[in-house]
Amino acid sequence: MNELNLLFKQLNTLILGKAEVVKLAVACVLARGHLLLEDVPGVGKTTLAHGLAVGLGLDYRRVQFTNDMLPADLLGVTVFHPAEAKFVFQPGPVFHRFLLADEINRASPKVQSALLEAMEERQVSVDGKTYALPQPFMVIATQNPSEQIGTFPLPESQLDRFLMRVSMGYPIEKAEKYLYTHGDRRTALKSIQAAFNAERLMQLQQTVAAMPLSAALVDYIYRLVAMTRAEGAFVQGLSPRAGLALGQAAKAWAVLEGRDVVLPEDVQAVFVAVAAHRLRTLQQGSNSAPVLQEMMRHVAVG
């Protein structure tokens, strides 16, 4: 698809040496999911999010989360207009198709929870009234490692609303040296062109959602999910919601591979990104990703 080719070309020029991260981010969007980018400051999380918003051709808003932020700063507030003698709702930043929640874990749990309804129901409730969000709607959030000063860990319910969590990692040597020579890549954002519009993106998302999963593939997804519950490596295993998310993400990956059939390789490509942030290991502080990688090697494909 020409739109996807243009999008990938631009994003891979913007974010050097991170083709897999870029592909996972686009797959998350096509699966109609929300994306969490987690890593140390300065590796390009916000630049990727900005580039994705521009490349998708969506109206977007960046919100810097801070510890003194209030839910109204995000959702909006009802204001009394004396001239009209009535209350009028002033929408907040969440009323954009693409919300970039920068450093989401620097805000208090109260603000974090204000996003739950928006992410799950695509609507918000303020002063007893419900307001629908524009479609398509997605949140891309960045967060710093939880051990850094001034962060609040995201609760499990919040993490579960993110279809994927992806870590940028440090750039490869060649890419980092290029940065030192040519400067910050954020200046390259000005050259990004919109490869999509809202209507075309929703069509592609509907195509992904309508793709069937074979009985054999459903069995494979179930075995992966069930093993996280039975291995004794995690506090709790994956929920059925996580299994649904895994199927949707695998469909999106298949579309990016140019296929209309979902294969086990598609599930394997997205499994860690979909599952790792939903699981806590019994050994406190250890990373669940390597455990999941090892687990995949012991689950039969057929």
Side-chain angles (χ1 to χ4, degrees):
M1 297 178 186
N2 292 333
E3 302 103 321
L4 287 172
N5 291 337
L6 176 59
L7 183 63
F8 279 120
K9 181 180 179 180
Q10 294 185 109
L11 291 178
N12 285 324
T13 302
L14 181 67
I15 306 295
L16 303 175
K18 296 294 177 182
E20 184 177 357
V21 170
V22 169
K23 192 172 180 180
L24 283 169
V26 174
C28 187
V29 170
L30 296 190
R32 202 168 172 260
H34 307 293
L35 177 65
L36 180 62
L37 294 171
E38 181 183 56
D39 222 315
V40 296
V43 293
K45 302 186 299 296
T46 303
T47 303
L48 172 58
H50 267 152
L52 194 56
V54 176
L56 291 172
L58 302 179
D59 60 305
Y60 71 97
R61 183 73 173 269
R62 174 183 176 271
V63 178
Q64 180 66 52
F65 280 55
T66 58
N67 58 8
D68 60 349
M69 188 177 179
L70 299 174
D73 297 330
L74 186 64
L75 304 182
V77 64
T78 302
V79 178
F80 182 72
H81 285 201
E84 301 173 18
K86 65 178 183 179
F87 287 93
V88 177
F89 177 64
Q90 302 292 330
V94 76
F95 285 88
H96 288 74
R97 287 191 168 99
F98 191 107
L99 178 67
L100 168 53
D102 214 359
E103 296 187 310
I104 188 174
N105 60 336
R106 291 202 179 278
S108 69
K110 189 173 183 179
V111 174
Q112 293 172 11
S113 64
L115 265 180
L116 285 176
E117 182 183 11
M119 295 173 71
E120 184 65 21
E121 307 294 338
R122 265 71 176 184
Q123 65 181 33
V124 297
S125 299
V126 179
D127 295 334
K129 291 186 178 181
T130 300
Y131 303 91
L133 296 175
Q135 297 299 319
F137 172 75
M138 67 197 69
V139 175
I140 291 192
T142 69
Q143 76 167 0
N144 298 324
S146 58
E147 63 270 14
Q148 289 200 349
I149 296 172
T151 61
F152 299 87
L154 296 180
E156 284 82 357
S157 58
Q158 181 88 54
L159 288 170
D160 198 40
R161 266 53 177 195
F162 288 100
L163 182 73
M164 293 185 190
R165 182 185 66 185
V166 177
S167 294
M168 298 288 291
Y170 292 112
I172 60 174
E173 180 181 348
K174 182 179 178 181
E176 189 163 353
K177 288 179 178 178
Y178 183 92
L179 291 175
Y180 296 163
T181 305
H182 295 85
D184 196 326
R185 296 303 295 159
R186 282 178 290 188
T187 58
L189 281 168
K190 298 176 183 178
S191 64
I192 299 289
Q193 300 176 2
F196 284 85
N197 57 38
E199 291 72 24
R200 177 59 183 141
L201 178 58
M202 290 178 70
Q203 288 176 0
L204 201 51
Q205 288 176 334
Q206 289 165 3
T207 299
V208 169
M211 287 180 68
L213 295 176
S214 68
L217 196 75
V218 170
D219 287 342
Y220 179 54
I221 291 174
Y222 176 77
R223 286 195 296 273
L224 285 171
V225 171
M227 182 164 278
T228 66
R229 303 168 186 168
E231 278 294 296
F234 304 110
V235 176
Q236 291 179 322
L238 292 173
S239 68
R241 192 208 304 265
L244 287 168
L246 184 56
Q248 284 299 108
K251 291 178 185 181
W253 193 269
V255 167
L256 295 182
E257 290 291 307
R259 288 186 270 98
D260 57 5
V261 176
V262 186
L263 302 178
E265 297 93 303
D266 302 318
V267 177
Q268 293 164 359
V270 299
F271 180 54
V272 173
V274 171
H277 63 291
R278 291 178 161 93
L279 297 167
R280 285 190 296 124
T281 59
L282 290 174
Q283 185 177 355
Q284 190 173 5
S286 62
N287 188 354
S288 59
V291 181
L292 291 170
Q293 291 282 10
E294 181 65 25
M295 200 172 279
M296 268 198 297
R297 288 194 277 269
H298 294 90
V299 177
V301 173

